[in-house]
């Protein structure tokens, strides 16, 4: 039900909301204390004192599904919420591990951020082609967490004690969030400064040199408040190669990182506020051999103003990734350095949003967004221990968007959601300069022409409260993902396989839909969702040449992929302190057409 409409009930059936969910055939028991967390935000959907306990699957609030506060049961979108109580009782040491509780959420190669190279930390929702470049958008309080150059995710940037809750919007979501939200959105919502002051800290240690410490502190003086969260993690890691295949060259996959997130805000009366925010992240990894390593540093600054119906955000980030690549002998006795890489990237974004309840039936949200990303890769190639070539490649991507959403209460039992968004983006200053250092041939300098694309992302959804026990929903939508600067301009090598960039790539496009049913009775709730989505012009690595010592591939827009499936989620509340949730997902993701190799048609997508 649109914000501002109060808690109107339909035949005793309160506004519906959706909760933390399980993974594939996953069950968990969550036990939460009754005392509020320091600095925690009040859930406007929480039942008042004396009300019987209701499932969180019915009574939680999301901001991600509609870019404004709404009960998830009042939107036809499929949303999962992992709240603070669930985070406090999970053993997951990182945010991406905690998100594994959500049905349909998976990581590329199913490897967590503690051991995976950052360039493969991509996110997949509902089996939409996992890759290093996420086909899902990851946000932190509305700020992008996806890498601006390659769209992978540094999950360690978020100190876990500073997190208020996690929200996952499943299904194409470009209508509200633009590029990257092809399969959905995962948003981390952090804890705002609370009244008074407080400190929470946590530390743990384990085998393989595992050490982890995290703390969050908040304080308020008059209208001013602040919160500081920090985390540091170290692990010696494990050997990632099977014992039967190991050689002298193999080492544990080790990592360490530190993150700081600081916010200062001033309350402006009512719900208004002005805030300043700064984040810093540093990590270093050893990737399984003496020569393979990488490290990253990221800085982000943001300012925001919330006043009445208006919300404004300005943010900028600067970062650099450095890593080394090697070729390992087949017997794993030796390795040799083949490339050193340095990737600086800068991003700047500005957004404005307006929301208003009109009359008793319409809740409108409209917004404008603009963004610029500049990134490049500087690489030195090696052979026989000597530097043989240098590569300088990269470019700039500028984008702008406008969107409008109307949540229309057609009838006390019917809620209609209509959204439209127009995105336009341009690739500029694309270049690729290869300079041989020992060969007799000259440099290869390529300057790519500027070009632009547009995408219209619509959504139409309907929610019908059939009775006091049952609500039904349906949605149809379009979404897209623009190619990253990494895909357009940077090639890479893994062992004897070379993958070349393609500056002619166009956006991937998705069309899909879903239907769902929610049954709620007393402390019990059950939700079923069936979905279908097809991705066109999917980016894939295509083999173009094979020799006895080298395999050459190129990124190309080829073919179509389709994902269909169902999600089942259930919840039971045992009094005010215990909740049992269970979830099951069945996903079938297959290649529909693939021009380069028709024999792949009908086969399942990898890493799903």
């Amino acid at each position: 039900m649109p914000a501002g409409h109060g808690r109107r009930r339909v035949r005793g059936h309160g506004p519906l909301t959706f909760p933390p969910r399980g993974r594939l055939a996953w069950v968990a028991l969550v036990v939460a204390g009754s005392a509020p967390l320091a600095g925690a935000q009040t859930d406007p959907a929480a039942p008042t004192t004396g009300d019987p306990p209701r499932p969180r699957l019915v009574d939680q609030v999301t901001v991600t599904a509609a870019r404004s506060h709404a009960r998830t049961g009042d939107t036809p979108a499929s949303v999962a919420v992992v709240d603070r109580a669930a985070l406090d009782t999970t053993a997951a040491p990182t945010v991406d591990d905690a998100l594994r509780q959500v049905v349909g959420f998976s990581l590329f190669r199913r490897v967590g951020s503690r051991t995976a190279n950052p360039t493969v930390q991509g996110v997949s929702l509902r089996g939409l082609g996992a890759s290093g470049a996420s086909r899902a958008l990851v946000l932190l309080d509305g700020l992008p967490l996806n890498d601006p150059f390659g769209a992978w995710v540094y999950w360690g940037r978020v100190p876990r004690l500073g997190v208020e809750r996690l929200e996952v919007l499943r299904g194409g979501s470009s209508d509200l969030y633009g590029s990257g939200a092809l399969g959905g959105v995962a948003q981390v919502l952090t804890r705002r400064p609370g009244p008074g002051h407080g400190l929470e800290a946590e530390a743990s240690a384990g085998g393989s040199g595992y050490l982890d410490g995290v703390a969050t502190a908040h304080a308020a003086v008059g209208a001013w408040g602040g919160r500081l969260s920090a985390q540091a993690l170290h692990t010696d890691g494990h050997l990632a190669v099977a014992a039967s295949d190991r050689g002298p060259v193999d080492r544990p996959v080790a990592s360490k990182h530190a993150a700081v997130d600081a916010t200062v805000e001033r309350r402006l009366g009512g719900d208004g506020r002005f805030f300043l925010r700064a984040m810093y992240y540093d990590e270093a990894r050893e990737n399984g051999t003496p020569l393979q390593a990488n490290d990253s540093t990221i800085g982000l600054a943001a300012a925001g103003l919330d006043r009445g119906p208006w919300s404004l955000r300005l943010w900028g980030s600067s970062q650099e990734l450095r890593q080394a690549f090697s070729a390992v002998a087949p017997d794993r006795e030796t390795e040799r350095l083949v490339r050193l890489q340095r990737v600086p990237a800068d991003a700047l974004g500005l957004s404005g949003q307006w929301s208003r309840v009109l009359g008793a039936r319409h809740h409108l949200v409209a917004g404008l967004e603009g963004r610029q990303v500049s990134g490049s890769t500087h690489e030195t190639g090696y052979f026989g221990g000597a530097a043989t070539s240098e590569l300088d490649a990269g470019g700039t991507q500028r984008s702008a968007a406008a969107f409008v959403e109307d949540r229309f209460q057609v009838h006390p039992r019917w809620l209609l959601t209509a959204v439209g968004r127009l995105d336009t983006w341009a690739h500029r200053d694309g270049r690729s300069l290869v300079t041989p250092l020992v060969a007799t041939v000259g440099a290869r300098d390529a300057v790519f022409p500027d070009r632009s694309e547009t995408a219209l992302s619509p959504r139409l959804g309907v929610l019908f409260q059939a009775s006091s026990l049952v609500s039904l929903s349906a949605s149809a939508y379009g979404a897209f993902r623009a190619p990253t600067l990494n895909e357009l301009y940077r090639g890479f090598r893994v062992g004897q396989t070379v993958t070349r960039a393609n500056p002619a790539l166009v956006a991937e496009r998705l069309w899909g839909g879903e239907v769902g049913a929610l049954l709620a009775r007393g402390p019990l709730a059950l939700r079923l969702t069936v979905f279908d989505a097809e991705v066109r012009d999917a980016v894939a690595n295509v083999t173009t040449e094979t020799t006895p010592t080298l395999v050459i591939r190129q990124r190309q827009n080829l073919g179509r992929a389709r994902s269909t499936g169902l999600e089942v989620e259930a919840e039971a509340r045992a009094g005010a302190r215990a909740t049992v949730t269970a979830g099951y997902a069945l996903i079938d993701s297959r290649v529909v057409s693939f021009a380069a190799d028709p024999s792949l048609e009908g086969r399942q997508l990898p890493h799903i």
Side-chain angles (χ1 to χ4, degrees):
M1 191 169 295
H5 281 209
R7 295 192 180 184
R8 179 170 54 185
R9 296 180 182 269
V10 179
R11 293 190 181 179
H13 193 304
L16 307 177
T17 344
F18 305 152
R21 338 233 177 207
R23 282 189 67 201
L24 177 65
W26 178 92
V27 179
L29 176 66
V30 179
V31 182
S34 58
L37 294 166
Q41 304 302 302
T42 301
D43 184 347
T48 59
T49 302
D51 286 349
R54 295 168 57 81
R56 293 174 298 173
L57 193 59
V58 174
D59 265 343
Q60 278 185 320
V61 165
T62 173
V63 299
T64 305
R67 293 188 70 128
S68 62
H69 286 88
R71 293 170 177 83
T72 51
D74 295 336
T75 171
S78 176
V79 187
V81 179
V82 183
D83 62 13
R84 185 67 244 175
L87 292 172
D88 281 339
T89 55
T90 181
T94 59
V95 171
D96 57 306
D97 285 334
L99 281 168
R100 292 172 184 261
Q101 301 178 32
V102 176
V103 166
F105 177 93
S106 63
L107 299 170
F108 182 48
R109 296 177 182 168
R110 299 172 296 284
V111 179
S113 61
R114 284 176 293 168
T115 56
N117 185 290
T119 61
V120 299
Q121 290 182 34
V123 180
S124 171
L125 291 172
R126 289 182 170 175
L128 288 176
S131 67
S134 292
R135 287 184 169 89
L137 183 64
V138 182
L139 301 173
L140 175 71
D141 295 326
L143 305 174
L145 276 182
N146 297 80
D147 182 89
F149 185 77
W152 48 77
V153 182
Y154 290 90
W155 293 101
R157 293 174 64 184
V158 185
R160 68 174 182 275
L161 276 185
V163 177
E164 175 68 18
R165 66 185 186 275
L166 307 173
E167 297 184 358
V168 179
L169 173 59
R170 294 167 296 201
S173 305
S174 295
D175 53 296
L176 288 176
Y177 293 98
S179 179
L182 190 81
V185 177
Q187 179 155 214
V188 181
L189 297 166
T190 59
R191 303 163 72 178
R192 288 176 53 186
H197 61 275
L199 170 67
E200 296 176 55
E202 186 178 291
S204 59
S208 301
Y210 181 83
L211 297 170
D212 178 28
V214 58
T216 184
H218 71 93
V221 178
W224 290 90
R227 179 174 289 276
L228 175 66
S229 301
Q231 183 169 1
L233 184 148
H234 172 277
T235 176
D236 292 335
H238 62 280
L239 287 164
V241 178
S244 58
D245 298 327
R246 289 176 197 160
V249 77
D250 293 302
R251 300 287 189 276
V253 180
S255 69
K256 61 181 179 180
H257 70 252
V260 178
D261 181 6
T263 301
V264 176
E265 70 175 33
R266 177 178 173 82
R267 297 190 301 275
L268 301 178
D271 293 331
R273 66 167 182 148
F274 170 76
F275 73 87
L276 296 173
R277 186 172 195 169
M279 300 181 68
Y280 180 77
Y281 179 69
D282 181 84
E283 77 164 25
R285 297 175 181 270
E286 299 173 14
N287 296 316
T289 67
L291 295 180
Q292 295 185 58
N294 66 271
D295 63 90
S296 305
T297 54
I298 305 173
L300 181 144
L305 174 66
D306 298 322
R307 188 77 173 185
W310 296 97
S311 180
L312 302 175
R313 298 289 185 270
L314 173 65
W315 60 270
S317 68
S318 182
Q319 64 186 67
E320 184 166 291
L321 164 68
R322 299 163 292 273
Q323 59 182 338
F325 300 88
S326 71
V328 178
D331 58 6
R332 307 197 69 81
E333 292 281 343
T334 60
E335 69 170 335
R336 59 181 176 85
L337 181 67
V338 296
R339 189 174 296 264
L340 291 177
Q341 179 191 30
R342 183 174 65 87
V343 184
D346 300 307
L348 181 66
L350 175 65
S351 65
Q353 181 174 305
W354 171 88
S355 61
R356 175 77 73 180
V357 176
L358 298 181
R361 294 179 178 272
H362 294 272
H363 183 196
L364 296 179
V365 178
L368 298 172
E369 295 180 349
R371 186 182 184 189
Q372 175 174 299
V373 174
S374 297
S376 58
T377 178
H378 307 281
E379 303 179 21
T380 302
Y382 288 81
F383 185 78
T388 58
S389 65
E390 291 184 347
L391 167 68
D392 182 6
T396 298
Q397 187 179 76
R398 296 173 183 168
S399 60
F403 67 89
V404 177
E405 176 189 41
D406 183 12
R407 303 176 69 223
F408 178 25
Q409 193 78 44
V410 182
H411 179 274
R413 290 179 178 272
W414 290 89
L415 177 67
L416 181 68
T417 301
V419 192
R421 177 176 170 127
L422 180 65
D423 284 83
T424 179
W425 65 98
H427 304 293
R428 301 182 182 277
D429 305 321
R431 68 191 185 282
S432 177
L433 172 62
V434 179
T435 304
L437 300 179
V438 296
T440 57
V441 298
R444 301 193 303 275
D445 189 4
V447 177
F448 307 112
D450 296 345
R451 61 189 184 88
S452 61
E453 286 187 79
T454 60
L456 178 63
S457 304
R459 174 185 288 269
L460 184 63
V462 62
L463 178 72
F464 173 52
Q465 291 185 332
S467 71
S468 60
L469 301 178
V470 179
S471 64
L472 306 175
S473 63
S475 296
Y477 41 78
F480 75 99
R481 185 185 74 89
T484 64
L485 295 176
N486 180 64
E487 291 170 309
L488 290 168
Y489 304 122
R490 180 193 173 257
F492 65 95
R493 176 170 178 161
V494 177
Q496 304 303 315
T497 301
V498 174
T499 301
R500 293 174 175 169
N502 185 352
L505 290 175
V506 298
E508 299 175 334
R509 312 278 177 151
L510 175 143
W511 295 98
E514 60 192 67
V515 295
L518 176 64
L519 292 78
R521 182 180 179 87
L524 305 176
L526 175 68
R527 187 182 186 199
L528 171 68
T529 304
V530 178
F531 61 87
D532 181 78
E534 183 174 281
V535 180
R536 303 172 184 175
D537 293 324
V539 176
N541 295 336
V542 179
T543 301
T544 59
E545 184 179 346
T546 302
T547 70
T549 59
L550 200 63
V551 176
I552 299 177
R553 296 176 177 173
Q554 186 186 40
R555 300 184 180 102
Q556 295 182 13
N557 289 107
L558 289 188
R560 294 176 291 132
R562 189 170 188 176
S563 179
T564 59
L566 63 87
E567 300 157 348
V568 182
E569 298 150 302
E571 182 177 319
R573 296 202 67 175
R577 292 179 175 270
T579 301
V580 179
T581 63
Y584 177 81
L586 177 63
I587 299 172
D588 186 18
S589 299
R590 295 183 181 272
V591 177
V592 177
S593 66
F594 196 72
D597 187 356
S599 67
L600 296 179
E601 295 177 4
R603 296 190 180 184
Q604 293 181 327
L605 296 180
H607 302 295
I608 301 300

